[in-house]
């Protein structure tokens, strides 16, 4: 097997045609048309290096991690812990103690809700989130408020889908104990000023949780620069496997938190009288983990790092601008989410046509988009739409994809209106 764990060689400029060739799923036809994959906000396709890393792991290295004395277990442990170090570097965290594996963003946020917040938040306290959160950053806090008697507050956005920062600031007060904020809205594409929001939240002593699910594939992340207390991410949104993700937490805070789940690996010593817990980050990782997931996650992060997030985001910005300009040529299109600072996402409605009808016709042209509420129902309520059609751009999309999408959309409009 060749270079299975090595990522793509660094590129001087972004060669999108070469990059497309590295994603086998993109080479297929759907309903007789070349696949145009514009559903990257839901999940990204995987490059060869990621698929090969998983294959190699299962072909050669598969074993359970930690405490194994045999060769395969040592290899699996090295790969698993090596991946943690790669995630640390990707996020610019200080130490691997601050990197906890989770099944994804959702589990990472729930971990904070159960382990940190249920202990530190009580009746009379407030949790502040924004109006553009994904359900993953709404429902855990609502459940927590029900349990504790704390109150959930929501910072509003304007009709461009931008957070109204003055309103956010007004809602912060000494009762605010935790602030949850999405870095990039999956429904609108809005990039929130999270560094500033974290700073403002810290002024009132609140702990901050950044939902980085849609950010990591498009924006270089430095958790120390952001100064956030927690940062949640999913591997599958950044070209890695599903069922894998990470929670970054400041060491000092994680140290004080009790375990999330009980079981193997998270313990130091167990007796029927008393159990003591493992050190960070293992205290939060009960049971046999998704070892192959970590291996694939690492390969994905290295792939993205080798291409360069700066170059990727410049390329994607160009494609998004082109798509925005082209879609506005179609009368009746209303873009949902017109923030000044956006990435990847083009959400829209077309007259009063139901989004799923449009999605169904686009699919017949080989174009994959997502339709519906995108797990952000309050965003749909704000814009008074049942849902949107969402085209979301990844690093392998080019202008030709957009041309095909626009052509298919024009046909859909002719059929449906
Ligand atoms: N937050 C945002 C902004 C998302 O886009 C998503 C995925 N759609 C999530 C959280 C949840 O991620 P996961 O399903 O990977 O846990």
């Amino acid at each position: 097997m060749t270079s299975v764990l090595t990522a793509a060689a660094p590129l001087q400029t972004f060669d999108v045609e070469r990059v497309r060739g590295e994603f086998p799923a993109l080479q297929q036809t759907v309903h007789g048309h070349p696949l145009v994959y514009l559903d990257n906000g839901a999940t990204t396709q995987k490059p060869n290096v990621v698929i090969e890393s998983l294959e190699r792991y299962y072909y050669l290295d598969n074993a359970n991690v930690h405490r194994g004395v045999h060769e395969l277990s040592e290899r699996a442990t090295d790969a698993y812990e090596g991946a943690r170090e790669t995630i640390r570097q990707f996020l610019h965290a200080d130490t691997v103690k601050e990197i906890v594996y989770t099944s994804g963003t959702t589990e990472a946020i729930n971990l904070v809700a159960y382990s940190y917040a249920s202990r530190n938040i009580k009746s009379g306290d407030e949790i502040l989130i924004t109006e553009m959160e994904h359900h993953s950053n709404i429902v855990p806090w609502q459940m927590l408020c029900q349990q504790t008697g704390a109150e959930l507050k929501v910072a509003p956005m304007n009709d461009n889908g931008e957070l109204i920062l003055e309103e956010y600031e007004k809602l912060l007060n000494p009762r605010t104990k935790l602030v949850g904020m999405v870095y990039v809205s999956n429904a609108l594409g809005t990039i929130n000023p999270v560094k500033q929001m974290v700073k403002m939240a810290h002024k009132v002593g609140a702990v901050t949780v950044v939902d980085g699910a849609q950010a990591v594939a498009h924006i270089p992340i430095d958790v120390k620069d952001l100064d956030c207390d927690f940062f949640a991410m999913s591997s599958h949104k950044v070209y890695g496997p599903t069922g894998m993700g990470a929670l970054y937490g400041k060491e000092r805070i994680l140290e004080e938190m009790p375990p999330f789940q009980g079981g193997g690996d998270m313990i130091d010593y167990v007796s029927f009288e008393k159990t003591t817990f493992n050190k960070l980050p293992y205290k939060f990782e009960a049971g046999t983990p998704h070892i192959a997931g970590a291996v694939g996650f690492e390969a994905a992060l290295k792939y993205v790092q080798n291409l360069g997030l700066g170059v990727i985001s410049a390329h994607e910005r160009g494609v998004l601008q082109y798509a925005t300009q082209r879609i506005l040529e179609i009368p009746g299109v209303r873009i949902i989410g017109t923030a000044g600072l956006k990435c990847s996402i083009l959400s829209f409605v077309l007259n009063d046509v139901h989004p799923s009808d449009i999605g169904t016709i686009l699919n017949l042209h080989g174009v994959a988009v997502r339709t519906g509420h995108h797990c952000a129902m309050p965003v749909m309520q704000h814009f008074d739409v049942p849902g949107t059609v969402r085209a979301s751009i990844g690093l392998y999309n080019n202008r030709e994809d957009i041309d095909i999408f626009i052509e298919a959309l024009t046909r859909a409009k002719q059929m449906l209106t």
Side-chain angles (χ1 to χ4, degrees), residues 41-42 103-109 132-137 182-187 211-215 233-237 243-244 374-375 390:
S103 64
T105 304
T106 304
E107 192 182 54
I109 295 172
M132 67 183 95
E133 298 306 318
H134 184 279
H135 297 165
S136 293
N137 209 18
V182 69
Y183 201 152
V184 174
S185 156
N186 66 310
D211 171 353
Q214 294 292 339
M233 70 193 283
S234 301
S235 147
H236 72 104
K237 307 271 192 201
M244 191 42 168
H374 316 297
C375 294
R390 183 187 72 183

Side-chain angles (χ1 to χ4, degrees), residues 153-188:
K153 298 279 183 179
V154 182
M157 62 183 171
N158 63 24
D159 291 343
N160 292 325
E162 293 161 319
L163 183 75
I164 307 171
L165 211 55
E166 309 82 70
E167 296 297 323
Y168 169 78
E169 189 166 30
K170 273 192 221 152
L171 285 162
L172 288 165
N173 69 77
R175 289 187 302 282
T176 316
K177 295 294 181 246
L178 186 141
V179 181
M181 57 188 86
V182 69
Y183 201 152
V184 174
S185 156
N186 66 310
L188 304 164

